[in-house]
Amino acid sequence: MEAAEGQAEGTGPASFLDKFQTQRYTGGFNPESWEQEFDKIPMFMKKSPAEIDPEQNPDLACLQSIIFDEDRSPEDQANTYKNEGNEYFKEKNYKKAVISYTEGLKKKCSDQDLNAVLYTNRAATQFYLGNYRSALSDVIAARKLKPNHLKAIIRGALCHLELKNFPEAMAWCEEGLRIDSKEKKLVETRAKADRLKRAEQRDVRKAKLKEKKEQSQKEVLLTAIKERNIKLFLEACKEEDEISDGLAEMSLNGLNSDSATGTKVYLDDNGNLNWPVLFLYPEYGQTDFISAFHEDCRFIDHILVMFAELPPWDSERKYHPSNLELYFEDEAREEMYQLNTENTLLQVLQHQRYFVKAGTPTFLVLVKLSPFSKNYFFGKKVHRLK
């Protein structure tokens, strides 16, 4: 932080000491509170109050009126604000320091070096507040007034570093090192920016390679789905006639939505599709999820495993494998299809009215002939698959 030469104008301490001595010998001095008494005297204050009340601190108010006297020259006033900002900066009161430096700049004094210092110091406080773009704007303004101002260049390089503008940070360091080739901060910042730039470039290359690999895998996966005549539901399609029963509507977008667990359909080493499958139990608002349902596995095989023991939510003890029926819904036609549990997943997915939504085949599980099932299907057309 740059400081102005000399000291701010003010009154000497003699009058305050005389006043203190007078209080002591006239009985006004309290030995038990002498530290508090000293703290009321401006030159002995450990910290200035946030707001100066003339009644509570008349001496301090008097000093303030002298220091910030509008009759003083703009240069004197700007320098006073600079010194005040420096004190706030030392106390790490960065917000007040910004205000002081700003007030100094408002004086528009003719001393361009002083104005450059005010901009640079305000940039430093903005930097510590995390306002890197504001700090960068200030150092740019400082360099317009003083192009070779090394502290402004160092601060600018640090701002670019924090903003992850690594090439710009290196460029600023190079400019500063042309002024002082041994400036340690610039040497260190340039090395760090170079290291981070290389790491960023490496990460970009890795991300592109990964994206290319994933895209290639998606295309292979999509080809496998197309070859099986499995249809993907596209969210953008609202009307039935907008969903082609051919392959034209098939796209990678239909595979982009992960299931709730983040699993996706994939091809295993034998070239078989394995799907995340969701089972819904509308009677109890429960669900089951199979993360990898092999396309050649039958539904009954999974049902027997899932209901080897009755679930705790089955209060009526009726969800036995032999009592269960599986359905899928044709939302476009508002019709239901009952599955043959001996069918494989692939056989069901290949049905002309089945569309895989959000990359996850979903099926309803109900108890046959139960009151809930009868009420659930009331008014709906139900098809039974062979």
Side-chain angles (χ1 to χ4, degrees):
M1 178 65 65
E2 299 199 21
E5 296 183 3
Q7 297 182 358
E9 295 180 24
T11 56
S15 59
F16 300 115
L17 289 174
D18 290 343
K19 178 180 177 181
F20 182 72
Q21 291 288 348
T22 302
Q23 288 179 335
R24 179 178 179 183
Y25 291 113
T26 56
F29 174 68
N30 185 346
E32 295 181 0
S33 60
W34 68 270
E35 289 186 352
Q36 291 87 338
E37 293 292 335
F38 257 67
D39 201 43
K40 293 178 182 179
I41 301 173
M43 71 171 295
F44 296 118
M45 283 183 174
K46 296 177 182 177
K47 188 176 181 180
S48 61
E51 299 293 337
I52 299 175
D53 184 349
E55 294 185 3
Q56 295 289 332
N57 297 285
D59 296 329
L60 194 59
C62 181
L63 277 175
Q64 185 184 47
S65 66
I66 295 172
I67 293 172
F68 298 104
D69 185 0
E70 292 294 330
D71 291 334
R72 298 167 64 211
S73 69
E75 289 72 24
D76 284 345
Q77 293 180 62
N79 192 62
T80 297
Y81 279 115
K82 185 205 73 171
N83 293 335
E84 182 185 59
N86 291 350
E87 291 301 317
Y88 283 132
F89 187 90
K90 290 177 184 177
E91 296 172 3
K92 297 184 178 181
N93 193 339
Y94 302 123
K95 290 183 179 180
K96 283 196 172 183
V98 167
I99 294 172
S100 294
Y101 296 134
T102 301
E103 289 299 319
L105 288 167
K106 286 181 180 179
K107 297 305 172 183
K108 297 181 179 180
C109 71
S110 58
D111 187 341
Q112 298 306 315
D113 285 346
L114 176 56
N115 288 330
V117 170
L118 286 166
Y119 276 119
T120 303
N121 288 4
R122 189 171 71 175
T125 57
Q126 294 283 26
F127 183 89
Y128 281 102
L129 287 170
N131 302 328
Y132 304 120
R133 294 192 185 280
S134 296
L136 186 58
S137 296
D138 276 347
V139 294
I140 290 172
R143 293 192 65 194
K144 286 180 180 178
L145 300 174
K146 193 176 180 181
N148 293 332
H149 192 20
L150 195 58
K151 288 190 176 181
I153 294 173
I154 294 171
R155 185 63 60 191
L158 292 172
C159 288
H160 278 301
L161 190 67
E162 291 296 332
L163 292 169
K164 302 187 186 303
N165 301 330
F166 305 126
E168 290 83 354
M170 294 176 65
W172 277 60
C173 288
E174 294 293 344
E175 290 185 49
L177 289 171
R178 283 197 288 270
I179 299 170
D180 184 351
S181 61
K182 297 181 180 180
E183 171 54 53
K184 183 179 178 181
K185 193 66 177 179
L186 289 174
V187 173
E188 292 175 349
T189 302
R190 182 181 60 179
K192 185 175 181 180
D194 184 49
R195 184 175 68 254
L196 292 174
K197 184 186 75 171
R198 292 175 186 273
E200 184 181 58
Q201 291 172 339
R202 183 181 64 247
D203 291 343
V204 169
R205 290 194 299 269
K206 284 184 177 180
K208 287 182 177 179
L209 287 173
K210 182 180 178 182
E211 183 182 358
K212 186 176 180 180
K213 182 179 178 180
E214 290 177 350
Q215 185 68 14
S216 177
Q217 291 174 340
K218 279 186 177 182
E219 289 174 356
V220 171
L221 184 61
L222 181 59
T223 299
I225 293 172
K226 287 180 178 181
E227 289 174 349
R228 289 163 172 76
N229 293 320
I230 297 173
K231 295 165 287 300
L232 303 179
F233 177 84
L234 303 178
E235 293 290 346
C237 298
K238 301 299 181 182
E239 301 296 332
E240 178 184 350
D241 57 6
E242 292 178 352
I243 305 176
S244 170
D245 58 357
L247 302 181
E249 285 292 340
M250 297 290 289
S251 78
L252 293 173
N253 292 334
L255 300 176
N256 285 343
S257 299
D258 296 355
S259 67
T261 61
T263 56
K264 294 181 180 180
V265 59
Y266 68 91
L267 278 169
D268 60 26
D269 293 338
N270 297 318
N272 297 308
L273 289 173
N274 292 262
W275 292 86
V277 174
L278 183 64
F279 291 97
L280 306 177
Y281 307 98
E283 183 174 4
Y284 289 97
Q286 298 291 326
T287 61
D288 268 324
F289 183 77
I290 298 175
S291 61
F293 196 132
H294 192 285
E295 62 181 351
D296 292 332
C297 283
R298 302 178 305 166
F299 281 89
I300 188 62
D301 297 328
H302 283 285
I303 292 295
L304 289 172
V305 173
M306 292 160 60
F307 292 93
E309 296 182 6
L310 294 178
W313 45 261
D314 181 15
S315 57
E316 298 181 29
R317 318 299 290 170
K318 59 187 179 183
Y319 275 71
H320 296 278
S322 59
N323 291 340
L324 302 180
E325 294 177 336
L326 276 65
Y327 298 84
F328 72 81
E329 185 175 3
D330 184 343
E331 295 182 2
R333 294 182 179 178
E334 298 183 350
E335 296 176 352
M336 305 295 296
Y337 287 82
Q338 182 183 347
L339 281 60
N340 182 344
T341 56
E342 295 291 332
N343 285 344
T344 64
L345 175 61
L346 178 58
Q347 288 175 313
V348 174
L349 296 184
Q350 288 176 326
H351 188 274
Q352 61 180 354
R353 294 307 305 165
Y354 195 89
F355 295 90
V356 178
K357 187 175 183 180
T360 305
T362 303
F363 303 96
L364 299 170
V365 182
L366 296 105
V367 176
K368 67 176 67 173
L369 302 178
S370 69
F372 180 86
S373 296
K374 292 178 182 179
N375 183 62
Y376 189 85
F377 292 121
F378 181 77
K380 295 181 181 178
K381 187 175 181 179
V382 180
H383 304 274
R384 287 177 172 78
L385 305 183
K386 295 181 180 180

